[in-house]
């Protein structure tokens, strides 16, 4: 049996008629840039996540950058974020002119440890970017309390956490801005690059839209110098077909995760993902931990099972951040986990037989 890490083609086949029709209607109306398909998706996504404003843009990395430029990050400003994420979270801080300040993850959830945030706050700190990594929300209650106490803005990086919740409240609704990616492999994925920013504040929404659209809200209007970051009509129409399925796909991911948990629970030499109380995990990734991770990955690969490491080197230890001079003991959790984490297949179209095969193959690693 072969188990891919994800199967985007199967997802397309399940919606083929609708997606093909949506693409054809964009082509028929030549609504390639902005226009009705983009507007419709922005409205639908706003409604789906319960956010008053949604600004679509070219990708999830741009959404972080646009948010920081609109929030007014200035040279020398410090932004605190997690040591364990995809580099978009931090390269955009630098691109916006700020300085990246890393904080370790907690011992269980791979998300930023709020207990360690306050010690990192200085007179130059302007904001915090928690990442709901792998699909599990960060501890937003604690993070928002710190942000309010110190007058800091918060951008939630929701690229991996569409529809995740904390005590029934959806992620992205806690902070000032939520940033989304619709990269094809994300829980809601386009057929190319796509992203969006949501927020509650009209003037912030206008500043973000203005910056993303050459510094103006209408053609010919340029209040400031901006960038060109647009969702195109084809991607918007495809996302509008997929969005109504997101809830069902999320439930499927959660059911698969429960199935993995019960199939693997008696294997005491594999650490299973942990979810903190009150948080709903949407399992963008199902990440296990093992001391001999590379050998386990090779064993699975040999059996036809694809795995990925998200991410093999924590951000502070990448060559890109060598200038900060960090050592492993600065971020013991992120550093300790980077050699153990292994993402095993989880995707809505995954069959029970595939899941049991993965679980059995993991079990066979000990023998
Ligand atoms: C995917 C991702 C992004 C960026 O998204 P792109 O659309 O690929 O630019 C940002 N942050 C995190 C945590 C991500 O996983």
């Amino acid at each position: 049996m072969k188990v891919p890490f994800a199967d985007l083609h199967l997802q397309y086949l399940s919606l083929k008629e609708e997606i093909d029709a949506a693409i054809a209607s964009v082509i028929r109306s030549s609504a390639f840039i902005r226009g009705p398909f983009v507007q419709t998706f922005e409205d639908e996504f706003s409604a789906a996540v319960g956010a008053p404003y949604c600004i679509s843009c070219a990708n999830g990395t741009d959404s972080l950058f646009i948010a920081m430029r609109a929030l007014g990050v200035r040279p020398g400003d410090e932004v605190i974020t997690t040591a364990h994420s995809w580099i978009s979270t931090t390269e955009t801080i630098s691109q916006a002119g700020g300085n990246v300040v890393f904080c370790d993850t907690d011992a269980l959830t791979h998300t930023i440890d709020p207990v360690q945030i306050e010690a990192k706050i200085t007179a130059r700190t302007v904001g915090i970017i928690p990442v709901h990594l792998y699909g599990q929300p960060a501890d937003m209650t604690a993070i928002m309390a710190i942000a309010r106490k110190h007058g800091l803005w918060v951008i939630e990086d929701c690229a991996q956490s569409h529809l995740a919740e904390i005590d029934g409240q959806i992620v992205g609704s806690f902070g000032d801005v939520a940033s989304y990616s619709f990269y094809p492999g994300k829980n809601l994925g386009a057929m190319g690059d796509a992203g969006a920013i949501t927020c509650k504040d009209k003037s912030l929404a206008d500043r973000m839209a203005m910056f993303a659209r050459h510094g103006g809200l209408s053609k010919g209007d340029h209040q400031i110098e901006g960038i060109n970051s647009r969702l195109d009509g084809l991607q918007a129409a495809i996302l509008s077909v997929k969005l109504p399925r997101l809830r069902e796909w999320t439930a499927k991911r959660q059911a698969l995760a429960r199935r993995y948990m019960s199939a693997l629970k008696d294997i005491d030499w594999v650490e299973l993902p942990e979810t903190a109380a009150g948080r709903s995990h949407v399992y963008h990734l199902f990440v296990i931990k093992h001391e001999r991770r590379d050998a386990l990955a090779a064993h699975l690969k040999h059996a036809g099972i694809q795995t990925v490491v998200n991410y093999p080197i924590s951000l502070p230890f990448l060559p890109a951040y060598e200038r900060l001079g960090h050592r492993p003991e600065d971020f013991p959790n992120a550093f300790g986990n980077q050699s153990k984490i292994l993402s095993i297949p989880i995707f809505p179209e995954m069959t029970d037989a595939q899941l049991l095969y993965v679980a059995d193959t993991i079990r066979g690693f000990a023998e």
Side-chain angles (χ1 to χ4, degrees):
M1 187 183 303
K2 283 227 177 319
V3 187
F5 190 65
D7 196 332
L8 298 180
H9 191 65
L10 261 188
Q11 186 175 85
Y12 164 64
L13 290 180
S14 74
L15 299 168
K16 186 174 186 308
E17 271 172 38
E18 282 174 77
I19 288 177
D20 291 355
I23 291 171
S25 64
V26 176
I27 294 173
R28 203 177 311 116
S29 59
S30 299
F32 298 119
I33 299 292
R34 301 221 57 78
F37 296 96
V38 174
Q39 185 63 55
T40 298
F41 176 69
E42 287 180 345
D43 294 345
E44 290 168 350
F45 193 69
S46 269
V49 299
Y53 302 100
C54 172
I55 294 120
S56 59
C57 60
N59 55 65
T61 308
D62 276 6
S63 66
L64 291 160
F65 178 60
I66 293 162
M68 276 184 271
R69 288 298 300 262
L71 285 162
V73 172
R74 281 188 302 257
D77 285 352
E78 294 173 3
V79 178
I80 298 173
T81 192
T82 172
H84 187 168
S85 184
W86 175 241
I87 194 167
S88 299
T89 313
T90 50
E91 63 188 358
T92 49
I93 296 173
S94 308
Q95 282 152 12
N99 292 338
V100 180
V101 176
F102 287 113
C103 187
D104 203 6
T105 50
D106 68 27
L108 289 183
T109 69
H110 299 285
T111 61
I112 191 168
D113 183 359
V115 175
Q116 300 186 48
I117 292 178
E118 254 182 317
K120 307 263 173 179
I121 294 175
T122 72
R124 319 269 345 229
T125 308
V126 294
I128 308 172
I129 308 183
V131 180
H132 307 308
L133 200 73
Y134 302 156
Q136 169 158 209
D139 184 354
M140 292 312 298
T141 312
I143 292 165
M144 291 315 297
I146 296 165
R148 282 193 199 98
K149 181 172 158 199
H150 297 272
L152 309 175
W153 51 251
V154 173
I155 300 172
E156 293 177 66
D157 185 338
C158 300
Q160 302 189 2
S161 65
H162 314 72
L163 304 187
E165 291 176 352
I166 303 170
D167 294 323
Q169 185 181 340
I170 192 164
V171 296
S173 65
F174 294 87
D176 299 275
V177 180
S179 140
Y180 287 91
S181 166
F182 308 118
Y183 173 84
K186 297 288 161 82
N187 286 19
L188 177 62
M191 291 181 156
D193 275 313
I197 319 148
T198 63
C199 72
K200 303 173 263 226
D201 182 80
K202 168 101 169 69
S203 84
L204 181 58
D206 285 347
R207 290 202 302 282
M208 293 196 292
M210 189 184 279
F211 182 72
R213 295 163 198 168
H214 296 297
L217 289 176
S218 57
K219 230 183 184 126
D221 168 40
H222 305 283
Q223 303 290 326
I224 54 168
E225 287 178 323
I227 61 169
N228 174 17
S229 184
R230 298 186 282 231
L231 175 67
D232 69 67
L234 287 167
Q235 300 307 332
I238 291 164
L239 287 166
S240 286
V241 172
K242 291 190 175 193
L243 181 59
R245 273 76 181 195
L246 182 57
R247 218 157 262 291
E248 177 195 324
W249 287 336
T250 303
K252 193 74 208 294
R253 286 176 182 275
Q254 291 167 330
L256 290 163
R258 283 194 299 274
R259 196 87 173 98
Y260 263 139
M261 296 289 191
S262 69
L264 297 170
K265 68 169 184 291
D266 59 317
I267 308 182
D268 58 4
W269 43 265
V270 157
E271 278 182 73
L272 298 175
E274 307 232 21
T275 308
R279 302 189 216 174
S280 81
H281 194 318
V282 295
Y283 294 99
H284 171 56
L285 298 168
F286 191 91
V287 180
I288 60 174
K289 288 194 270 179
H290 190 275
E291 293 293 339
R292 293 174 53 227
R293 187 265 318 279
D294 293 337
L296 176 58
H299 170 77
L300 290 166
K301 185 177 178 200
H302 186 72
I305 299 165
Q306 245 176 20
T307 61
V308 177
V309 176
N310 307 91
Y311 301 92
I313 303 176
S314 293
L315 295 169
F317 312 116
L318 290 169
Y321 296 105
E322 214 173 276
R323 65 179 188 273
L324 300 178
H326 284 303
R327 291 157 308 163
E329 54 271 33
D330 296 339
F331 310 102
N333 289 330
F335 184 78
N337 287 332
Q338 71 183 28
S339 56
K340 295 184 201 155
I341 48 178
L342 184 67
S343 309
I344 61 175
I346 191 163
F347 52 96
E349 299 77 17
M350 190 180 192
T351 65
D352 204 48
Q354 286 177 315
L355 185 140
L356 291 176
Y357 177 64
V358 175
D360 283 346
T361 309
I362 291 173
R363 190 179 299 281
F365 181 60
E367 282 141 29

